[in-house]
Amino acid sequence: MNNFSTLVFFVTAFIYLFHISLASIVSTGDFNKDFPVITWSPNHVNTSADGHTRSLIFDKESGSGIASNDTYLFGQFDMKIKLIPGNSAGTVVAFYLTSYQPNRDEVDFEFLGNVPGKPYTLQTNVYVDGLDDREQRINLWFDPTQDFHTYSILWNLHQIVFMVDRVPIRTYRNHADKGAKYPRWQPMGLQLSIWNGETWATDGGKTKIDWSKAPFIASLGDYTIDACVWKGNARFCRGESENNWWNKEKFSTLTWTQRRLFKWVRKYHLTYDYCMDNQRFQNNLPIECSLPKY
């Protein structure tokens, strides 16, 4: 290799590493900076003076929603949420990644309100290339209205892991080589919203919203976005580096401890899994249902 070729090689390598370092972000912790977009009803969104907490309000007039400033391709997203206290039947609080495309990819947490004394239901869903029908539901093992709890999405080249207080409640693996669709090309933005789901959210729509309990308020606290910011070139986000830690081999599957917790959730708290709904799919379950979960 001559001197010019050597120089070109090192300059190219430096530019690549520089772009990798720019691509990754650790969030500021300020909702005003990381979630400046009010997608729905600004007068129903309240933010603390320091920007570290925010509340989403829902009443007869409107729900509300916010969105991240950036879009991302892989990373981990943690959000502390305290859900609507009291009678929250018919309400939905959502925390999700979405690609904003007609054939969208999306990774959802949806918290389905309930009447006092009955458990909150947490529904997760995955859209790939515009197709969903991948719902799972669990009953939370604590009262999510009494305090903040951390809800997390780990999304990398190998798997998506939904976590509650670091407990893995669901995985969705990359089995694209076996014909299962996996969200790996479209960057996604992070959104939160609160809205009216009374036609389906509680008891299949039988229990409606009690408007005498309005306004309904979901509180958002500390959060972390540790992800690859989309800059138009997927290879910067798909590479394995110190900054893109989520793509490393150690995060390609669940650890043994995580597997034990995952099995515990499925045994004691799972209430619905699309992969067990033969009637819905007429005994033709999606291909990923027969493939390993970790």
Side-chain angles (χ1 to χ4, degrees):
M1 185 182 288
N2 59 37
N3 288 340
F4 179 75
S5 298
T6 302
L7 178 62
V8 169
F9 171 80
F10 281 111
V11 168
T12 302
F14 173 78
I15 291 172
Y16 176 78
L17 291 173
F18 178 71
H19 274 284
I20 285 286
S21 66
L22 282 180
S24 297
I25 182 174
V26 176
S27 49
T28 67
D30 186 340
F31 279 98
N32 293 313
K33 294 179 180 178
D34 294 326
F35 293 89
V37 182
I38 308 298
T39 59
W40 185 15
S41 193
N43 65 341
H44 283 59
V45 177
N46 290 335
T47 308
S48 63
D50 61 7
H52 291 173
T53 61
R54 179 170 278 181
S55 58
L56 302 180
I57 301 167
F58 169 46
D59 57 22
K60 261 193 168 180
E61 176 189 333
S62 178
S64 56
I66 62 174
S68 62
N69 196 43
D70 294 304
T71 57
Y72 315 94
L73 189 65
F74 307 127
Q76 182 161 314
F77 310 85
D78 306 322
M79 180 67 64
K80 287 195 173 182
I81 304 174
K82 184 163 66 172
L83 294 171
I84 304 163
N87 187 346
S88 58
T91 67
V92 179
V93 176
F95 166 49
Y96 59 105
L97 291 162
T98 185
S99 67
Y100 306 112
Q101 300 298 323
N103 60 326
R104 77 183 188 274
D105 292 341
E106 192 166 292
V107 181
D108 297 339
F109 276 108
E110 292 178 317
F111 304 91
L112 312 183
N114 215 331
V115 296
K118 289 190 177 181
Y120 243 93
T121 295
L122 170 52
Q123 174 171 284
T124 56
N125 200 358
V126 178
Y127 287 72
V128 190
D129 199 24
L131 301 174
D132 62 341
D133 292 337
R134 294 179 173 89
E135 300 95 341
Q136 289 187 8
R137 292 184 177 188
I138 67 167
N139 286 335
L140 293 169
W141 52 92
F142 53 84
D143 184 346
T145 73
Q146 294 299 304
D147 205 349
F148 287 93
H149 291 267
T150 303
Y151 303 93
S152 307
I153 299 168
L154 170 65
W155 171 39
N156 61 31
L157 286 166
H158 316 286
Q159 62 177 348
I160 297 167
V161 184
F162 297 82
M163 292 174 280
V164 176
D165 292 334
R166 303 299 180 220
V167 175
I169 64 166
R170 178 180 180 178
T171 62
Y172 187 86
R173 290 197 61 74
N174 184 352
H175 289 301
D177 60 334
K178 298 179 178 66
K181 291 180 178 291
Y182 186 81
R184 52 186 174 146
W185 301 109
Q186 298 188 64
M188 294 194 274
L190 195 59
Q191 293 202 17
L192 295 106
S193 58
I194 183 171
W195 41 281
N196 186 339
E198 69 176 356
T199 60
W200 63 276
T202 309
D203 300 327
K206 295 176 184 176
T207 305
K208 306 298 184 181
I209 292 174
D210 180 354
W211 291 109
S212 71
K213 306 301 182 185
F216 304 100
I217 300 173
S219 302
L220 313 177
D222 293 339
Y223 65 89
T224 303
I225 303 170
D226 197 354
C228 187
V229 177
W230 178 249
K231 299 293 183 183
N233 192 330
R235 70 190 182 99
F236 295 136
C237 294
R238 297 173 70 84
E240 184 178 303
S241 70
E242 286 304 311
N243 287 323
N244 292 357
W245 57 264
W246 45 85
N247 284 332
K248 291 188 174 183
E249 183 65 25
K250 66 182 290 187
F251 299 104
S252 65
T253 189
L254 299 183
T255 67
W256 286 107
T257 299
Q258 287 178 318
R259 293 179 190 189
R260 290 178 62 188
L261 291 168
F262 177 76
K263 291 176 181 177
W264 172 77
V265 171
R266 291 188 64 83
K267 182 176 181 180
Y268 294 106
H269 299 283
L270 184 71
T271 61
Y272 176 81
D273 182 353
Y274 74 105
C275 282
M276 299 177 183
D277 197 341
N278 278 295
Q279 181 178 357
R280 177 183 182 183
F281 292 98
Q282 300 178 341
N283 294 318
N284 187 25
L285 294 172
I287 187 172
E288 68 269 10
C289 294
S290 61
L291 297 172
K293 298 291 189 293
Y294 45 75

